[in-house]
Amino acid sequence: MSVPERAVSSLLVSHCCVVNRRCSQTDLRSGRIRPEPGLTTETRDALSEYHPAKRREHDHCIFLEVRQQGGSSPVSTMTTLEDGDMNTFGPELPAMFDGVKLAAVATVLYIIVRCLNLKSTTAAPEIIHQDTLLNRYLLKSCPLLTKEYIPPLLWGKSGHVQTVLYGKMGRVNTPTPCGVRKFLPMPDGATATFDLFEPRGDHSTGDDITMVICPGIGNHSEKNYIRTFVDHSQRQGYRCAVLNHLGALPNVELTSPRMFTYGCTWEYAAMVGAIKRAFPQTQLVVVGFSLGGNIVCKFLGENRSNQDRVLCCITVCQGYSALRAQETFLQWDQCRRLYNFVLADNMKKLILSHRSTLLSLNSSHISEADVSRLYAATSLTQIDDSIMRKFHGYNSLKEYYEQESCVHYIKNVTVPLLLVNSSDDPLIHHSLLDIPRTLAEKMPNLIFVLTQHGGHLGFFEGAMLFPQPLTWMDKIIVEYTDSICHWEKNRPACQRSSHQDMNSSCLQSTGATVSG
């Protein structure tokens, strides 16, 4: 490259750095720079004589403007950095990158600690109850109620992880209990089904006792958490009857234009009636999970006769009031809106799998317009409004939620009640837990248990990483039921046929003997 003597007024040299280092201020002021090998002698002389450089930085390039006497046209050239120039860069930038890496690691660890809730401490469940002889006996004979619940250390303190593992995996090392499927024709043409599992041994009291179980939303006897609980109950001497929600089984077609709903008790009542007829001497233990908890409590409170031969009732992780829950399900707090979307998507798939049956029958309340709205639904509320409420002819969503919620029926239940919830359940807003808390303060037969951890139907236990096959939930239901069975076994005859006030004189006269 030639540089005419009068054609050059200034020379711009761009020194493009190929590494993340910059020249030090001393090097720039001294003008020490290696020109490009292809420059002419005049250009080299001009660069060597230059001292007052004007430095401008842009990204990783350094521009040096060199002015010569005479001429007005600038000439630009670019020099490359050779290995020998590495020592012209200081150590500040590598140190800065080390700091960035450290900050990134710290941020990730902070997020992990927050998401997994690792700083949370374990504690015994909070128990709200009245001071009665039965409740004293139960607290004494059920150590799990007062013992510290310890979830797996690394992830068990996160309600989200517990809930997701329950939803995706159910349980670990799930057994496969053998049962018999029963079909029950309903008055409206529907066909209810339930699976019956016989006990694997005698109960500790020697009595015939059957657990009548209602699973969660869209669930059935083939779900892993149900199979695990049934197997555990069978081993303790209980017969188990598990309701398959109408339309939930993938290989059983609907015989009427109706599916299960939030609070419909028809199929559950049919199952209980069938058990009573098939086993006249058996006593019943009512168990409900999530949505099933709402159904069983509503069933017991709808009619006093439904409590005949019922020893007790246990529900886990129910929400008590659909009307109050619908607002919280649309909130992003605890990612509840995301869970709502996932549940709604599963319900859409379940309903659409029975589309032909729901639309083909003349008695159907569902139209093509309702199905179109179903496709666009992104929440359970929208599905309930467009499809579910119409199965039973409700005029509005508010009426449907008001009539289908168990909160209006629990006060009519007189058998012993155990209501279990978790504080970190992402599906149940904390405001809904005021309902069982208030009921426990007013009803002598009700105990409300609130664990600190457990998520929604999780309640996994374990030392560090891997959970145990049996959960705290499985154990507490059986332990509580065993205690109730032994209490009833030792009650005097005047108390066995009816559920009277726990503070009656007849009950008090035997309390010391039963409590030991």
Side-chain angles (χ1 to χ4, degrees):
M1 180 186 298
S2 63
V3 183
E5 182 176 355
R6 293 185 178 274
V8 179
S9 60
S10 64
L11 176 64
L12 181 65
V13 179
S14 60
H15 206 123
C16 296
C17 302
V18 294
V19 293
N20 293 325
R21 296 187 179 181
R22 299 181 186 276
C23 296
S24 64
Q25 295 289 346
T26 304
D27 294 333
L28 290 172
R29 284 195 298 269
S30 64
R32 190 175 60 186
I33 183 168
R34 185 181 300 275
E36 188 176 358
L39 294 180
T40 62
T41 305
E42 291 87 349
T43 305
R44 295 174 183 267
D45 294 339
L47 289 175
S48 61
E49 293 175 359
Y50 176 75
H51 289 283
K54 297 179 180 179
R55 184 170 67 96
R56 294 185 291 111
E57 296 184 8
H58 180 68
D59 293 336
H60 299 296
C61 296
I62 302 177
F63 299 92
L64 298 178
E65 184 176 331
V66 182
R67 186 169 301 277
Q68 292 180 331
Q69 293 182 354
S72 59
S73 299
V75 174
S76 300
T77 189
M78 179 176 68
T79 61
T80 58
L81 188 66
E82 297 180 359
D83 294 340
D85 295 310
M86 289 295 183
N87 56 8
T88 62
F89 295 96
E92 293 82 0
L93 201 55
M96 182 183 70
F97 278 127
D98 290 341
V100 171
K101 293 178 182 178
L102 183 60
V105 172
T107 302
V108 171
L109 291 177
Y110 174 77
I111 294 175
I112 292 175
V113 170
R114 287 296 301 270
C115 292
L116 298 182
N117 200 21
L118 295 178
K119 295 180 64 177
S120 177
T121 58
T122 58
E126 180 185 2
I127 303 177
I128 296 90
H129 64 94
Q130 289 193 18
D131 186 18
T132 65
L133 288 177
L134 174 58
N135 289 343
R136 292 179 195 171
Y137 166 77
L138 290 173
L139 293 179
K140 182 179 179 180
S141 58
C142 298
L144 287 177
L145 289 176
T146 55
K147 184 180 177 182
E148 181 182 28
Y149 162 56
I150 304 178
L153 179 62
L154 292 183
W155 52 266
K157 296 177 182 179
S158 170
H160 296 290
V161 177
Q162 291 238 25
T163 301
V164 170
L165 284 181
Y166 144 73
K168 292 296 183 181
M169 183 178 63
R171 296 293 184 259
V172 296
N173 300 326
T174 305
T176 307
C178 296
V180 179
R181 182 155 296 169
K182 304 289 185 178
F183 295 84
L184 303 174
M186 305 291 292
D188 66 341
T191 303
T193 66
F194 71 92
D195 288 12
L196 186 64
F197 304 88
E198 292 295 335
R200 296 187 180 181
D202 295 333
H203 190 266
S204 57
T205 61
D207 295 333
D208 186 307
I209 304 171
T210 302
M211 287 191 174
V212 279
I213 303 165
C214 191
I217 181 171
N219 291 170
H220 43 75
S221 61
E222 298 175 8
K223 291 295 182 179
N224 286 351
Y225 77 98
I226 294 294
R227 289 162 53 188
T228 299
F229 174 69
V230 167
D231 180 77
H232 179 53
S233 301
Q234 285 180 290
R235 295 177 184 276
Q236 304 305 314
Y238 293 98
R239 179 186 298 107
C240 294
V242 183
L243 178 68
N244 300 309
H245 283 300
L246 196 62
L249 283 172
N251 56 347
V252 177
E253 295 292 334
L254 294 176
T255 58
S256 73
R258 178 174 68 84
M259 294 180 61
F260 75 94
T261 58
Y262 176 68
C264 180
T265 60
W266 296 353
E267 295 83 43
Y268 187 79
M271 180 181 72
V272 171
I275 293 297
K276 288 182 177 180
R277 292 190 297 271
F279 307 98
Q281 302 301 319
T282 193
Q283 295 176 295
L284 304 179
V285 174
V286 174
V287 180
F289 299 102
S290 191
L291 173 140
N294 178 78
I295 291 177
V296 300
C297 286
K298 183 172 178 284
F299 165 76
L300 293 176
E302 283 177 334
N303 194 317
R304 184 65 180 265
S305 63
N306 291 343
Q307 301 178 48
D308 292 344
R309 293 165 60 182
V310 174
L311 292 174
C312 61
C313 173
I314 305 102
T315 74
V316 184
C317 292
Q318 67 155 311
Y320 307 98
S321 173
L323 190 62
R324 292 173 60 175
Q326 66 166 335
E327 298 179 358
T328 66
F329 247 166
L330 298 177
Q331 300 171 357
W332 282 101
D333 177 47
Q334 292 292 313
C335 299
R336 199 170 294 108
R337 185 67 179 86
L338 179 60
Y339 287 105
N340 190 5
F341 177 81
V342 174
L343 290 173
D345 187 62
N346 292 335
M347 276 301 301
K348 284 166 60 175
K349 294 177 182 177
L350 192 60
I351 295 172
L352 291 173
S353 68
H354 299 286
R355 174 177 176 172
S356 58
T357 304
L358 296 176
L359 292 175
S360 62
L361 300 179
N362 295 329
S363 58
S364 176
H365 298 285
I366 309 302
S367 65
E368 286 287 355
D370 296 326
V371 176
S372 297
R373 285 191 289 271
L374 173 65
Y375 276 110
T378 59
S379 69
L380 290 175
T381 301
Q382 294 172 334
I383 295 177
D384 289 340
D385 193 25
S386 60
I387 302 291
M388 309 306 283
R389 69 174 177 85
K390 297 181 180 180
F391 288 143
H392 297 282
Y394 288 107
N395 295 320
S396 66
L397 186 65
K398 180 179 180 181
E399 181 187 7
Y400 169 67
Y401 283 157
E402 195 74 29
Q403 296 296 322
E404 298 285 283
S405 297
C406 72
V407 65
H408 307 294
Y409 300 90
I410 292 184
K411 62 180 181 294
N412 301 327
V413 180
T414 59
V415 300
L417 269 172
L418 178 67
L419 306 180
V420 180
N421 284 95
S422 172
S423 296
D424 63 355
D425 187 338
L427 301 184
I428 307 299
H429 193 266
H430 62 83
S431 62
L432 298 174
L433 301 180
D434 293 337
I435 297 174
R437 190 183 299 271
T438 302
L439 290 171
E441 294 172 351
K442 296 179 179 180
M443 298 175 59
N445 61 310
L446 193 154
I447 296 179
F448 174 49
V449 178
L450 184 64
T451 62
Q452 186 171 344
H453 307 108
H456 190 78
L457 296 181
F459 298 101
F460 293 96
E461 288 185 306
M464 182 66 68
L465 179 61
F466 299 103
Q468 300 174 3
L470 277 181
T471 68
W472 180 89
M473 176 183 76
D474 303 318
K475 298 175 183 177
I476 191 61
I477 295 176
V478 171
E479 185 178 80
Y480 176 85
T481 303
D482 283 344
S483 299
I484 289 291
C485 292
H486 284 280
W487 170 270
E488 290 291 330
K489 186 75 173 179
N490 291 279
R491 290 178 71 184
C494 64
Q495 287 291 320
R496 292 179 187 175
S497 60
S498 62
H499 303 284
Q500 302 178 10
D501 191 297
M502 297 301 172
N503 290 317
S504 63
S505 58
C506 184
L507 183 62
Q508 290 184 9
S509 65
T510 61
T513 302
V514 177
S515 299

